[in-house]
Amino acid sequence: MSSKLNWLLQNTSPGSLVLQSWLTRNNISPSLAFKYAQNGWLNKLRAGVYARAGREPDWSDALACLQNQLAAPVYLAGLSSLSWQGRSHYLQLKQSHCWLSAENKTLLPKWFKEFPGVNWRVISGLKLPQLDEKYRTELEVNGKKITASAPELAAYELLSAVPQNVSFEHAAELFQGLVNLNPRKVEKLLVLSEAVQTKRLYLFFASFYEHAWLKRMDISKINLGSGNRQIVANGKLNTQYQITVPEKFTMKGRNYG
């Protein structure tokens, strides 16, 4: 076996996606990759994109390829990140949906956007600056290392999708279990954020479920804007955070008008 083929087999696993740009950087030319495909080591998926033979690639192979071979700042996010960290009480809304965040308006390659069997949900409108590495975590997904949003950020991403893509009640179910978030990370995140509604909802749920980490935050540093925000139609106004919530969430406290 040639040293180049041996290197390829050592640095990939069955089902791994392999880009020609990455192969070229590692001294495997297009003609040599084509030869490996002819001999059954690689399966050609489309121009410049191969999969290591032996298993059908899945969405996690595509994301791992994007992160590792293109160094793209695209991360497993929101509901998907919480689910894979074991913080979701039940399965996602649809198994085919995968939540992603993409920094700096990163353009996703065509092969990735059209990857079969998955509906990428790219979160936008987070109104956050670029965050440092403490807001990322490394997960093992289907045997691969995937960089994902840390729980504090994933919760924020989830709440940014209420009520358009996630119901208030579903978000509440998930937030109830977030009992051990890092208060310093949450505080800094909400200080940096310019998304008033998302910040208010984050603090509302923390207060409603009486999470201990909320007491260790300095909420006075967080700009919560002014004026009411309607999150749910026909809801009741929580006067502390000036958001409308479903009536069953008015059972605790007196901050309602």
Side-chain angles (χ1 to χ4, degrees), residues 2 5 29-42 50:
S2 75
L5 179 57
S29 65
S31 59
L32 191 53
F34 179 73
K35 182 180 175 183
Y36 292 162
Q38 282 186 315
N39 291 331
W41 298 105
L42 295 174
Y50 295 92

Side-chain angles (χ1 to χ4, degrees), residues 169-220:
E169 290 77 10
H170 189 187
E173 282 277 343
L174 287 162
F175 214 92
Q176 185 175 9
L178 300 179
V179 296
N180 58 350
L181 296 187
N182 183 312
R184 289 179 299 282
K185 285 186 187 178
V186 175
E187 182 182 303
K188 184 178 179 185
L189 187 67
L190 300 188
V191 167
L192 290 172
S193 166
E194 295 178 0
V196 168
Q197 180 169 302
T198 303
K199 292 193 284 188
R200 292 184 189 181
L201 193 54
Y202 208 119
L203 294 174
F204 169 80
F205 280 137
S207 176
F208 184 82
Y209 290 116
E210 299 177 343
H211 288 328
W213 48 264
L214 179 63
K215 298 181 184 128
R216 295 165 58 199
M217 289 172 51
D218 184 355
I219 295 175
S220 67

Side-chain angles (χ1 to χ4, degrees), residues 118-137:
V118 62
N119 180 6
W120 304 114
R121 178 175 286 172
V122 182
I123 304 168
S124 60
L126 294 178
K127 298 184 180 179
L128 283 171
Q130 188 167 331
L131 299 168
D132 57 40
E133 287 306 302
K134 70 184 177 185
Y135 288 100
R136 307 292 172 201
T137 187

